[in-house]
Amino acid sequence: MSYIVVYNKDKCTSAAKCMGIHPELWSEDADGKAILIDGKLNAASRRYERVIEDSELEAYKQSALICPSYVIDIVEPASKKSILNINPTKEDEKDKVPVIQASYDSNAEWRMDPKGFFTMKPFPEEGVIRVRYYGEDHALKVVVEGKNAEDIYNTIVREGFVSSLAHAAYVGSELMKVEIALKKRLAYVQDDPLPE
Ligand code: SF4
């Protein structure tokens, strides 16, 4: 079975997500917009199109679903209907959804992750971040070393060093602070705000 990838380059916001995960399918123009490799411009619709086969579908689907601007679609050739099964909210309807005021009561809600805990620190001279992972017995188990937050928190999740969503979110947000401290050579103290 074949499908058509339909790409609206006019609306691309240069977020680079598509080419980040699939550089073999997307390249970048001088303005940072994505180019659908081997895509042909449909002059009537002003969309770039490329016919793909089943074997290519998964990679293009991933590109489409990661695009924050919903400018990549995949349609069936006969019906021209999208196969993505998503229903993005239109821009002018986004103010109609409920707003929840965020809050956190650490006394009532904080739970120790049974998998353990982490300490982390930037090492600007070496250009790396090191995260120490301690198990529930408080013994140091392993050091995770990386150059950015994304590599490190994905490694921590992949290795199964966290078991709660709240703890994973904490590690991700704290690692972003470490990455900023590393790049800007700021003093970093875990759980404290970064210096202005
Ligand atoms: S992810 Fe979407 S918005 Fe970002 S570059 Fe690719 S097509 Fe453009």
Side-chain angles (χ1 to χ4, degrees):
M1 175 144 185
S2 59
Y3 304 89
I4 305 173
V5 178
V6 181
Y7 166 52
N8 185 352
K9 190 178 178 190
D10 292 341
K11 292 273 171 73
C12 170
T13 50
S14 311
K17 299 280 189 189
C18 55
M19 53 193 106
I21 58 164
H22 283 296
E24 76 283 10
L25 307 179
W26 305 90
S27 57
E28 188 174 2
D29 74 6
D31 298 322
K33 292 196 175 205
I35 296 171
L36 172 60
I37 294 173
D38 293 334
K40 293 204 170 47
L41 180 65
N42 178 326
S45 66
R46 287 208 43 80
R47 308 285 199 270
Y48 287 84
E49 298 180 354
R50 179 167 186 235
V51 177
I52 60 166
E53 301 304 321
D54 261 332
S55 58
E56 303 169 284
L57 181 60
E58 195 49 41
Y60 280 101
K61 247 184 170 178
Q62 289 171 357
S63 304
L65 294 175
I66 204 171
C67 173
S69 308
Y70 304 110
V71 296
I72 304 168
D73 201 356
I74 302 173
V75 301
E76 281 179 344
S79 65
K80 292 280 190 293
K81 283 199 172 141
S82 174
I83 62 152
L84 291 181
N85 201 22
I86 58 173
N87 183 23
T89 305
K90 293 187 178 62
E91 213 43 56
D92 60 354
E93 291 179 353
K94 286 186 176 170
D95 57 359
K96 294 180 185 156
V97 301
V99 175
I100 298 172
Q101 293 304 321
S103 65
Y104 175 53
D105 179 347
S106 59
N107 288 331
E109 295 180 84
W110 184 83
R111 299 274 180 284
M112 179 74 195
D113 187 338
K115 287 274 186 162
F117 63 94
F118 303 89
T119 61
M120 51 193 82
K121 211 172 156 192
F123 291 82
E125 297 75 23
E126 299 168 71
V128 296
I129 297 165
R130 291 196 181 98
V131 177
R132 289 178 167 181
Y133 167 49
Y134 295 84
E136 60 180 337
D137 57 356
H138 290 215
L140 179 61
K141 303 292 182 190
V142 72
V143 176
V144 182
E145 182 180 288
K147 292 187 183 309
N148 59 62
E150 190 175 28
D151 286 355
I152 296 174
Y153 64 65
N154 275 295
T155 301
I156 286 170
V157 169
R158 189 187 324 120
E159 296 288 335
F161 297 157
V162 282
S163 68
S164 94
L165 293 176
H167 192 202
Y170 162 78
V171 169
S173 64
E174 201 59 34
L175 275 168
M176 280 312 301
K177 280 165 50 187
V178 184
E179 184 176 323
I180 292 167
L182 176 74
K183 287 181 179 159
K184 299 193 168 182
R185 291 187 169 251
L186 300 172
Y188 170 79
V189 178
Q190 191 163 342
D191 297 328
D192 280 1
L194 287 173
E196 297 288 321

PDB file of all heavy atoms in Angstrom, residues 7-9 11-20 26-28 32-35 63-72, ligand 1:
ATOM      1  N   TYR A   7       3.099  18.156   2.849  1.00  0.00           N
ATOM      2  CA  TYR A   7       3.848  19.053   3.738  1.00  0.00           C
ATOM      3  C   TYR A   7       3.598  20.509   3.347  1.00  0.00           C
ATOM      4  O   TYR A   7       3.835  20.917   2.208  1.00  0.00           O
ATOM      5  CB  TYR A   7       5.339  18.719   3.648  1.00  0.00           C
ATOM      6  CG  TYR A   7       6.250  19.760   4.246  1.00  0.00           C
ATOM      7  CD1 TYR A   7       6.057  20.232   5.541  1.00  0.00           C
ATOM      8  CD2 TYR A   7       7.323  20.271   3.519  1.00  0.00           C
ATOM      9  CE1 TYR A   7       6.893  21.189   6.085  1.00  0.00           C
ATOM     10  CE2 TYR A   7       8.169  21.219   4.057  1.00  0.00           C
ATOM     11  CZ  TYR A   7       7.958  21.683   5.340  1.00  0.00           C
ATOM     12  OH  TYR A   7       8.787  22.631   5.870  1.00  0.00           O
ATOM     13  N   ASN A   8       3.111  21.293   4.316  1.00  0.00           N
ATOM     14  CA  ASN A   8       2.815  22.712   4.088  1.00  0.00           C
ATOM     15  C   ASN A   8       4.003  23.562   4.557  1.00  0.00           C
ATOM     16  O   ASN A   8       4.055  24.001   5.704  1.00  0.00           O
ATOM     17  CB  ASN A   8       1.535  23.079   4.867  1.00  0.00           C
ATOM     18  CG  ASN A   8       1.092  24.503   4.583  1.00  0.00           C
ATOM     19  OD1 ASN A   8       1.805  25.261   3.932  1.00  0.00           O
ATOM     20  ND2 ASN A   8      -0.073  24.855   5.079  1.00  0.00           N
ATOM     21  N   LYS A   9       4.922  23.765   3.651  1.00  0.00           N
ATOM     22  CA  LYS A   9       6.152  24.486   4.032  1.00  0.00           C
ATOM     23  C   LYS A   9       5.869  25.932   4.433  1.00  0.00           C
ATOM     24  O   LYS A   9       6.562  26.492   5.296  1.00  0.00           O
ATOM     25  CB  LYS A   9       7.145  24.454   2.862  1.00  0.00           C
ATOM     26  CG  LYS A   9       8.520  24.965   3.247  1.00  0.00           C
ATOM     27  CD  LYS A   9       9.500  24.894   2.105  1.00  0.00           C
ATOM     28  CE  LYS A   9      10.839  25.456   2.544  1.00  0.00           C
ATOM     29  NZ  LYS A   9      11.757  25.636   1.425  1.00  0.00           N
ATOM     30  N   LYS A  11       3.728  27.064   6.314  1.00  0.00           N
ATOM     31  CA  LYS A  11       3.356  27.172   7.741  1.00  0.00           C
ATOM     32  C   LYS A  11       4.414  26.578   8.673  1.00  0.00           C
ATOM     33  O   LYS A  11       4.224  26.536   9.886  1.00  0.00           O
ATOM     34  CB  LYS A  11       2.019  26.451   7.981  1.00  0.00           C
ATOM     35  CG  LYS A  11       0.837  27.145   7.319  1.00  0.00           C
ATOM     36  CD  LYS A  11       0.288  28.204   8.261  1.00  0.00           C
ATOM     37  CE  LYS A  11      -0.762  29.087   7.604  1.00  0.00           C
ATOM     38  NZ  LYS A  11      -2.015  28.436   7.395  1.00  0.00           N
ATOM     39  N   CYS A  12       5.507  26.084   8.115  1.00  0.00           N
ATOM     40  CA  CYS A  12       6.575  25.514   8.947  1.00  0.00           C
ATOM     41  C   CYS A  12       7.167  26.619   9.820  1.00  0.00           C
ATOM     42  O   CYS A  12       7.485  27.696   9.341  1.00  0.00           O
ATOM     43  CB  CYS A  12       7.660  24.912   8.047  1.00  0.00           C
ATOM     44  SG  CYS A  12       9.160  24.440   8.937  1.00  0.00           S
ATOM     45  N   THR A  13       7.306  26.335  11.114  1.00  0.00           N
ATOM     46  CA  THR A  13       7.823  27.346  12.053  1.00  0.00           C
ATOM     47  C   THR A  13       9.285  27.096  12.426  1.00  0.00           C
ATOM     48  O   THR A  13       9.770  27.614  13.432  1.00  0.00           O
ATOM     49  CB  THR A  13       6.956  27.368  13.328  1.00  0.00           C
ATOM     50  OG1 THR A  13       6.829  26.025  13.803  1.00  0.00           O
ATOM     51  CG2 THR A  13       5.592  27.952  13.062  1.00  0.00           C
ATOM     52  N   SER A  14       9.947  26.264  11.644  1.00  0.00           N
ATOM     53  CA  SER A  14      11.388  26.043  11.815  1.00  0.00           C
ATOM     54  C   SER A  14      11.745  25.445  13.170  1.00  0.00           C
ATOM     55  O   SER A  14      12.800  25.773  13.730  1.00  0.00           O
ATOM     56  CB  SER A  14      12.177  27.350  11.618  1.00  0.00           C
ATOM     57  OG  SER A  14      11.774  27.988  10.450  1.00  0.00           O
ATOM     58  N   ALA A  15      10.871  24.624  13.706  1.00  0.00           N
ATOM     59  CA  ALA A  15      11.164  24.034  15.015  1.00  0.00           C
ATOM     60  C   ALA A  15      12.194  22.909  14.915  1.00  0.00           C
ATOM     61  O   ALA A  15      12.740  22.490  15.930  1.00  0.00           O
ATOM     62  CB  ALA A  15       9.885  23.502  15.650  1.00  0.00           C
ATOM     63  N   ALA A  16      12.431  22.425  13.707  1.00  0.00           N
ATOM     64  CA  ALA A  16      13.507  21.442  13.442  1.00  0.00           C
ATOM     65  C   ALA A  16      13.315  20.079  14.096  1.00  0.00           C
ATOM     66  O   ALA A  16      14.243  19.293  14.166  1.00  0.00           O
ATOM     67  CB  ALA A  16      14.869  22.018  13.812  1.00  0.00           C
ATOM     68  N   LYS A  17      12.108  19.821  14.609  1.00  0.00           N
ATOM     69  CA  LYS A  17      11.867  18.522  15.255  1.00  0.00           C
ATOM     70  C   LYS A  17      11.937  17.388  14.232  1.00  0.00           C
ATOM     71  O   LYS A  17      12.499  16.332  14.508  1.00  0.00           O
ATOM     72  CB  LYS A  17      10.488  18.505  15.922  1.00  0.00           C
ATOM     73  CG  LYS A  17      10.312  19.520  16.992  1.00  0.00           C
ATOM     74  CD  LYS A  17      10.947  19.053  18.259  1.00  0.00           C
ATOM     75  CE  LYS A  17      10.584  19.964  19.415  1.00  0.00           C
ATOM     76  NZ  LYS A  17      11.346  19.649  20.606  1.00  0.00           N
ATOM     77  N   CYS A  18      11.317  17.602  13.078  1.00  0.00           N
ATOM     78  CA  CYS A  18      11.234  16.539  12.065  1.00  0.00           C
ATOM     79  C   CYS A  18      12.628  16.115  11.614  1.00  0.00           C
ATOM     80  O   CYS A  18      12.956  14.927  11.610  1.00  0.00           O
ATOM     81  CB  CYS A  18      10.408  17.012  10.867  1.00  0.00           C
ATOM     82  SG  CYS A  18      11.001  18.539  10.139  1.00  0.00           S
ATOM     83  N   MET A  19      13.455  17.093  11.285  1.00  0.00           N
ATOM     84  CA  MET A  19      14.797  16.757  10.799  1.00  0.00           C
ATOM     85  C   MET A  19      15.690  16.261  11.926  1.00  0.00           C
ATOM     86  O   MET A  19      16.664  15.548  11.699  1.00  0.00           O
ATOM     87  CB  MET A  19      15.421  17.925  10.044  1.00  0.00           C
ATOM     88  CG  MET A  19      15.426  19.218  10.783  1.00  0.00           C
ATOM     89  SD  MET A  19      15.840  20.610   9.706  1.00  0.00           S
ATOM     90  CE  MET A  19      14.267  21.414   9.489  1.00  0.00           C
ATOM     91  N   GLY A  20      15.340  16.635  13.157  1.00  0.00           N
ATOM     92  CA  GLY A  20      16.105  16.154  14.306  1.00  0.00           C
ATOM     93  C   GLY A  20      15.972  14.649  14.460  1.00  0.00           C
ATOM     94  O   GLY A  20      16.951  13.960  14.737  1.00  0.00           O
ATOM     95  N   TRP A  26      14.317  14.710   5.931  1.00  0.00           N
ATOM     96  CA  TRP A  26      14.121  16.160   5.926  1.00  0.00           C
ATOM     97  C   TRP A  26      15.463  16.864   5.936  1.00  0.00           C
ATOM     98  O   TRP A  26      16.347  16.496   6.702  1.00  0.00           O
ATOM     99  CB  TRP A  26      13.327  16.599   7.167  1.00  0.00           C
ATOM    100  CG  TRP A  26      12.033  15.885   7.317  1.00  0.00           C
ATOM    101  CD1 TRP A  26      11.820  14.715   7.999  1.00  0.00           C
ATOM    102  CD2 TRP A  26      10.778  16.245   6.753  1.00  0.00           C
ATOM    103  NE1 TRP A  26      10.515  14.339   7.886  1.00  0.00           N
ATOM    104  CE2 TRP A  26       9.839  15.255   7.128  1.00  0.00           C
ATOM    105  CE3 TRP A  26      10.360  17.324   5.976  1.00  0.00           C
ATOM    106  CZ2 TRP A  26       8.509  15.308   6.738  1.00  0.00           C
ATOM    107  CZ3 TRP A  26       9.027  17.379   5.590  1.00  0.00           C
ATOM    108  CH2 TRP A  26       8.126  16.384   5.965  1.00  0.00           C
ATOM    109  N   SER A  27      15.588  17.896   5.125  1.00  0.00           N
ATOM    110  CA  SER A  27      16.764  18.761   5.236  1.00  0.00           C
ATOM    111  C   SER A  27      16.274  20.155   5.593  1.00  0.00           C
ATOM    112  O   SER A  27      15.069  20.372   5.795  1.00  0.00           O
ATOM    113  CB  SER A  27      17.579  18.744   3.946  1.00  0.00           C
ATOM    114  OG  SER A  27      16.780  19.134   2.868  1.00  0.00           O
ATOM    115  N   GLU A  28      17.196  21.094   5.649  1.00  0.00           N
ATOM    116  CA  GLU A  28      16.858  22.428   6.160  1.00  0.00           C
ATOM    117  C   GLU A  28      17.224  23.475   5.129  1.00  0.00           C
ATOM    118  O   GLU A  28      18.327  23.425   4.561  1.00  0.00           O
ATOM    119  CB  GLU A  28      17.648  22.650   7.457  1.00  0.00           C
ATOM    120  CG  GLU A  28      17.266  23.884   8.208  1.00  0.00           C
ATOM    121  CD  GLU A  28      17.998  23.964   9.550  1.00  0.00           C
ATOM    122  OE1 GLU A  28      18.820  23.067   9.844  1.00  0.00           O
ATOM    123  OE2 GLU A  28      17.761  24.927  10.283  1.00  0.00           O
ATOM    124  N   GLY A  32      15.829  27.945   7.834  1.00  0.00           N
ATOM    125  CA  GLY A  32      15.596  26.998   8.918  1.00  0.00           C
ATOM    126  C   GLY A  32      14.345  26.165   8.729  1.00  0.00           C
ATOM    127  O   GLY A  32      13.966  25.381   9.589  1.00  0.00           O
ATOM    128  N   LYS A  33      13.653  26.354   7.597  1.00  0.00           N
ATOM    129  CA  LYS A  33      12.436  25.560   7.352  1.00  0.00           C
ATOM    130  C   LYS A  33      12.813  24.186   6.812  1.00  0.00           C
ATOM    131  O   LYS A  33      13.849  24.009   6.172  1.00  0.00           O
ATOM    132  CB  LYS A  33      11.545  26.270   6.342  1.00  0.00           C
ATOM    133  CG  LYS A  33      10.954  27.559   6.875  1.00  0.00           C
ATOM    134  CD  LYS A  33       9.802  28.016   6.008  1.00  0.00           C
ATOM    135  CE  LYS A  33       9.147  29.243   6.618  1.00  0.00           C
ATOM    136  NZ  LYS A  33       7.769  29.407   6.231  1.00  0.00           N
ATOM    137  N   ALA A  34      11.913  23.236   7.071  1.00  0.00           N
ATOM    138  CA  ALA A  34      12.168  21.869   6.619  1.00  0.00           C
ATOM    139  C   ALA A  34      11.947  21.747   5.109  1.00  0.00           C
ATOM    140  O   ALA A  34      11.067  22.397   4.538  1.00  0.00           O
ATOM    141  CB  ALA A  34      11.239  20.906   7.357  1.00  0.00           C
ATOM    142  N   ILE A  35      12.777  20.903   4.504  1.00  0.00           N
ATOM    143  CA  ILE A  35      12.599  20.537   3.090  1.00  0.00           C
ATOM    144  C   ILE A  35      12.277  19.047   3.066  1.00  0.00           C
ATOM    145  O   ILE A  35      13.024  18.238   3.631  1.00  0.00           O
ATOM    146  CB  ILE A  35      13.887  20.799   2.278  1.00  0.00           C
ATOM    147  CG1 ILE A  35      14.213  22.291   2.272  1.00  0.00           C
ATOM    148  CG2 ILE A  35      13.747  20.265   0.854  1.00  0.00           C
ATOM    149  CD1 ILE A  35      15.585  22.600   1.677  1.00  0.00           C
ATOM    150  N   SER A  63       7.723  11.776  12.092  1.00  0.00           N
ATOM    151  CA  SER A  63       8.015  13.171  11.729  1.00  0.00           C
ATOM    152  C   SER A  63       6.763  14.024  11.865  1.00  0.00           C
ATOM    153  O   SER A  63       6.810  15.146  12.378  1.00  0.00           O
ATOM    154  CB  SER A  63       8.493  13.270  10.279  1.00  0.00           C
ATOM    155  OG  SER A  63       9.593  12.452  10.044  1.00  0.00           O
ATOM    156  N   ALA A  64       5.641  13.485  11.403  1.00  0.00           N
ATOM    157  CA  ALA A  64       4.397  14.257  11.426  1.00  0.00           C
ATOM    158  C   ALA A  64       3.926  14.485  12.856  1.00  0.00           C
ATOM    159  O   ALA A  64       3.501  15.584  13.223  1.00  0.00           O
ATOM    160  CB  ALA A  64       3.322  13.518  10.628  1.00  0.00           C
ATOM    161  N   LEU A  65       4.032  13.436  13.682  1.00  0.00           N
ATOM    162  CA  LEU A  65       3.484  13.545  15.038  1.00  0.00           C
ATOM    163  C   LEU A  65       4.353  14.391  15.957  1.00  0.00           C
ATOM    164  O   LEU A  65       3.871  14.939  16.945  1.00  0.00           O
ATOM    165  CB  LEU A  65       3.280  12.140  15.634  1.00  0.00           C
ATOM    166  CG  LEU A  65       2.201  11.318  14.914  1.00  0.00           C
ATOM    167  CD1 LEU A  65       2.137   9.905  15.478  1.00  0.00           C
ATOM    168  CD2 LEU A  65       0.834  11.975  15.007  1.00  0.00           C
ATOM    169  N   ILE A  66       5.623  14.530  15.621  1.00  0.00           N
ATOM    170  CA  ILE A  66       6.492  15.358  16.476  1.00  0.00           C
ATOM    171  C   ILE A  66       6.436  16.833  16.063  1.00  0.00           C
ATOM    172  O   ILE A  66       6.858  17.707  16.806  1.00  0.00           O
ATOM    173  CB  ILE A  66       7.956  14.848  16.449  1.00  0.00           C
ATOM    174  CG1 ILE A  66       8.690  15.291  17.711  1.00  0.00           C
ATOM    175  CG2 ILE A  66       8.703  15.329  15.213  1.00  0.00           C
ATOM    176  CD1 ILE A  66      10.053  14.675  17.882  1.00  0.00           C
ATOM    177  N   CYS A  67       5.893  17.117  14.886  1.00  0.00           N
ATOM    178  CA  CYS A  67       5.858  18.507  14.395  1.00  0.00           C
ATOM    179  C   CYS A  67       4.870  19.328  15.228  1.00  0.00           C
ATOM    180  O   CYS A  67       3.680  19.024  15.249  1.00  0.00           O
ATOM    181  CB  CYS A  67       5.440  18.538  12.927  1.00  0.00           C
ATOM    182  SG  CYS A  67       5.190  20.228  12.332  1.00  0.00           S
ATOM    183  N   PRO A  68       5.343  20.366  15.929  1.00  0.00           N
ATOM    184  CA  PRO A  68       4.446  21.130  16.792  1.00  0.00           C
ATOM    185  C   PRO A  68       3.481  22.023  16.016  1.00  0.00           C
ATOM    186  O   PRO A  68       2.542  22.569  16.586  1.00  0.00           O
ATOM    187  CB  PRO A  68       5.407  21.983  17.634  1.00  0.00           C
ATOM    188  CG  PRO A  68       6.648  22.096  16.811  1.00  0.00           C
ATOM    189  CD  PRO A  68       6.729  20.859  15.967  1.00  0.00           C
ATOM    190  N   SER A  69       3.720  22.189  14.725  1.00  0.00           N
ATOM    191  CA  SER A  69       2.874  23.087  13.928  1.00  0.00           C
ATOM    192  C   SER A  69       1.862  22.339  13.065  1.00  0.00           C
ATOM    193  O   SER A  69       1.115  22.961  12.324  1.00  0.00           O
ATOM    194  CB  SER A  69       3.758  23.963  13.026  1.00  0.00           C
ATOM    195  OG  SER A  69       4.743  24.591  13.791  1.00  0.00           O
ATOM    196  N   TYR A  70       1.857  21.014  13.133  1.00  0.00           N
ATOM    197  CA  TYR A  70       0.919  20.181  12.368  1.00  0.00           C
ATOM    198  C   TYR A  70       0.940  20.524  10.886  1.00  0.00           C
ATOM    199  O   TYR A  70      -0.097  20.702  10.255  1.00  0.00           O
ATOM    200  CB  TYR A  70      -0.508  20.313  12.923  1.00  0.00           C
ATOM    201  CG  TYR A  70      -0.601  19.972  14.378  1.00  0.00           C
ATOM    202  CD1 TYR A  70      -0.833  20.954  15.321  1.00  0.00           C
ATOM    203  CD2 TYR A  70      -0.426  18.670  14.817  1.00  0.00           C
ATOM    204  CE1 TYR A  70      -0.884  20.654  16.675  1.00  0.00           C
ATOM    205  CE2 TYR A  70      -0.473  18.352  16.160  1.00  0.00           C
ATOM    206  CZ  TYR A  70      -0.711  19.358  17.076  1.00  0.00           C
ATOM    207  OH  TYR A  70      -0.754  19.044  18.421  1.00  0.00           O
ATOM    208  N   VAL A  71       2.113  20.652  10.338  1.00  0.00           N
ATOM    209  CA  VAL A  71       2.206  21.002   8.913  1.00  0.00           C
ATOM    210  C   VAL A  71       2.581  19.792   8.060  1.00  0.00           C
ATOM    211  O   VAL A  71       2.777  19.926   6.864  1.00  0.00           O
ATOM    212  CB  VAL A  71       3.204  22.169   8.678  1.00  0.00           C
ATOM    213  CG1 VAL A  71       2.708  23.417   9.362  1.00  0.00           C
ATOM    214  CG2 VAL A  71       4.600  21.815   9.149  1.00  0.00           C
ATOM    215  N   ILE A  72       2.700  18.639   8.693  1.00  0.00           N
ATOM    216  CA  ILE A  72       2.990  17.411   7.950  1.00  0.00           C
ATOM    217  C   ILE A  72       1.789  16.483   8.106  1.00  0.00           C
ATOM    218  O   ILE A  72       1.340  16.226   9.229  1.00  0.00           O
ATOM    219  CB  ILE A  72       4.255  16.706   8.495  1.00  0.00           C
ATOM    220  CG1 ILE A  72       5.452  17.651   8.472  1.00  0.00           C
ATOM    221  CG2 ILE A  72       4.543  15.440   7.697  1.00  0.00           C
ATOM    222  CD1 ILE A  72       6.653  17.134   9.264  1.00  0.00           C
TER     223      ILE A  72
HETATM  224  S1  SF4 B   1       8.887  19.917  12.856  1.00  0.00           S
HETATM  225 FE1  SF4 B   1       7.292  20.952  11.673  1.00  0.00          FE
HETATM  226  S2  SF4 B   1       7.580  23.088  12.101  1.00  0.00           S
HETATM  227 FE2  SF4 B   1       9.442  22.031  12.719  1.00  0.00          FE
HETATM  228  S3  SF4 B   1      10.810  22.147  10.959  1.00  0.00           S
HETATM  229 FE3  SF4 B   1       9.700  20.240  10.832  1.00  0.00          FE
HETATM  230  S4  SF4 B   1       7.946  20.751   9.591  1.00  0.00           S
HETATM  231 FE4  SF4 B   1       8.756  22.648  10.260  1.00  0.00          FE
END
